[in-house]
Amino acid sequence: MINSNPSLARDLSLERALIRVKLMFVELFLFVILLIIQISILAVLILILFSNIFSNIHGAPYVPIKKKLIKSLLLFGELSPDDTFYDLGADDGRVLLVAAKDFGVSKLVGYEVSLWPYLKSRFLFHGLNPNKAVRIYGRIFSRPIYRKQLLYT
């Protein structure tokens, strides 16, 4: 038997309306979150594209060195903890990180003209002792190089 109570029918229709409103807010929230994610991805891709174009015009393109080669390269340079290591075109700082962590080099200086690899290196250097590593963003000719021990280009 169907209950013909009008207040119960009104309560049910209000409850259904509230559920619809809640679902609309959830859908709107998810839409906004996905839109923010898409815009963020697009912004990073645009940053990478313009960074590559800029570095191709003002220097060389960003081509990361293979991790296998870094240690043998630094062993060839006979690095010691007292050395100052300069990396011209430091890219994402891989060579600097290996020099700091595996060879204990006291002072590291990296020059990078391209914004994307520089930002990537800042992220990679986040956990490293800031007194140990010095990262300089810009062109090599913007600052003098003193007391060079090992100069890597």
Side-chain angles (χ1 to χ4, degrees):
M1 181 171 204
I2 299 175
N3 191 351
S4 61
N5 188 348
S7 65
L8 182 61
R10 190 173 352 120
D11 289 344
L12 285 175
S13 66
L14 281 174
E15 191 173 321
R16 286 184 191 141
L18 282 174
I19 290 173
R20 280 192 220 127
V21 169
K22 287 179 185 178
L23 286 175
M24 284 177 27
F25 277 117
V26 168
E27 288 175 357
L28 180 65
F29 177 74
L30 290 175
F31 174 77
V32 168
I33 295 296
L34 289 175
L35 186 64
I36 290 171
I37 290 171
Q38 290 175 347
I39 290 172
S40 300
I41 291 171
L42 184 62
V44 167
L45 291 175
I46 289 171
L47 174 70
I48 292 170
L49 175 70
F50 283 115
S51 178
N52 284 337
I53 291 171
F54 183 79
S55 66
N56 284 332
I57 292 170
H58 294 285
Y62 166 57
V63 180
I65 187 171
K66 293 181 182 176
K67 291 181 182 180
K68 293 186 256 181
L69 299 175
I70 296 174
K71 267 195 180 179
S72 58
L73 171 85
L74 295 177
L75 283 171
F76 176 77
E78 299 176 353
L79 283 176
S80 71
D82 298 328
D83 288 339
T84 300
F85 180 70
Y86 287 90
D87 189 358
L88 312 180
D91 290 334
D92 59 2
R94 293 177 191 200
V95 178
L96 294 170
L97 281 173
V98 172
K101 289 181 179 177
D102 295 349
F103 293 86
V105 177
S106 61
K107 183 165 180 174
L108 305 164
V109 181
Y111 290 90
E112 180 56 51
V113 70
S114 184
L115 183 61
W116 171 249
Y118 169 73
L119 293 175
K120 189 175 174 185
S121 70
R122 295 297 293 182
F123 177 75
L124 292 174
F125 272 82
H126 182 67
L128 195 61
N129 182 356
N131 296 329
K132 187 168 210 168
V134 177
R135 270 301 270 166
I136 299 173
Y137 170 64
R139 303 186 93 175
I140 181 174
F141 303 113
S142 63
R143 299 195 187 228
I145 297 176
Y146 299 109
R147 295 178 291 152
K148 51 187 169 282
Q149 301 290 328
L150 181 61
L151 186 65
Y152 172 69
T153 57

